[in-house]
Amino acid sequence: RGPTTAGVSGIARSPGKPGAVPGDLWQLHEMTYEGHVYLVDPRSKIVYSRPTDPSTWPTPLGKLTRGDTVEFKHESRVGPDFYHLLDNYLKGERKKLKDVFAQFDSDNSGALDRREMEALAKQLAPGVSKADAKYLVAMLDGDGDGQVTYQELMDSVMEIV
């Protein structure tokens, strides 16, 4: 299943960015790929995260290749093995997924942000980097808001099972 695009987001280029002209607009299209929402630059085909607030810039995550595949640039240490590591942790600790989710949702917001996902990832695989945690959020965050809800985590687990 390939990506679908909808909508255009205009982001003013930073005056310090190469090739930026005052008032220039950087057009990024929203793209849904494997149930996740990203931004894509139609000229460069670079795929970006959606910023979670207006003060941040989109982060490059990979590149759109062959028109229907996203090749992510970050090779996560936990990404490919996340579900296996999570399953082993749940069995070893004799815990339910909902309980583990609540344990790492330190602010009780009902969602895991990058910092909370990093704590979960470090529990599963000590030595995990911040980049790994950011990758996990991008991988699991179905609506692109920068956080992973319990339902988004369950949806991704159900896709694997």
Side-chain angles (χ1 to χ4, degrees):
R1 179 174 72 185
T4 58
T5 58
V8 176
S9 300
I11 299 175
R13 288 189 192 261
S14 167
K17 297 256 184 210
V21 176
D24 193 11
L25 198 62
W26 180 27
Q27 289 195 353
L28 299 176
H29 296 250
E30 281 192 348
M31 174 187 82
T32 302
Y33 180 73
E34 294 185 351
H36 302 282
V37 180
Y38 301 100
L39 298 174
V40 64
D41 182 331
R43 288 186 286 167
S44 68
K45 305 292 186 211
I46 295 177
V47 176
Y48 296 87
S49 64
R50 285 185 12 187
T52 55
D53 67 70
S55 67
T56 61
W57 283 85
T59 303
L61 298 173
K63 190 160 183 141
L64 192 60
T65 61
R66 295 184 309 276
D68 65 348
T69 304
V70 176
E71 185 176 306
F72 291 98
K73 69 176 186 170
H74 177 71
E75 290 299 322
S76 172
R77 288 178 12 142
V78 292
D81 297 323
F82 175 73
Y83 301 103
H84 179 71
L85 293 168
L86 182 60
D87 184 51
N88 285 344
Y89 179 77
L90 292 172
K91 288 175 182 173
E93 296 294 313
R94 296 179 184 235
K95 291 186 175 180
K96 294 182 179 183
L97 183 58
K98 190 164 189 93
D99 296 334
V100 171
F101 185 91
Q103 173 187 340
F104 288 94
D105 182 14
S106 60
D107 60 1
N108 296 315
S109 66
L112 302 179
D113 61 20
R114 187 213 37 88
R115 181 183 50 79
E116 293 164 329
M117 278 302 298
E118 183 178 351
L120 173 58
K122 283 184 176 184
Q123 185 69 40
L124 300 177
V128 164
S129 69
K130 288 183 181 187
D132 285 322
K134 192 171 190 175
Y135 177 82
L136 280 174
V137 169
M139 182 176 80
L140 300 171
D141 179 16
D143 63 9
D145 68 354
Q147 300 184 56
V148 178
T149 64
Y150 177 73
Q151 188 59 52
E152 288 171 326
L153 182 58
M154 279 300 297
D155 290 347
S156 70
V157 167
M158 294 308 290
E159 283 180 23
I160 299 300
V161 175

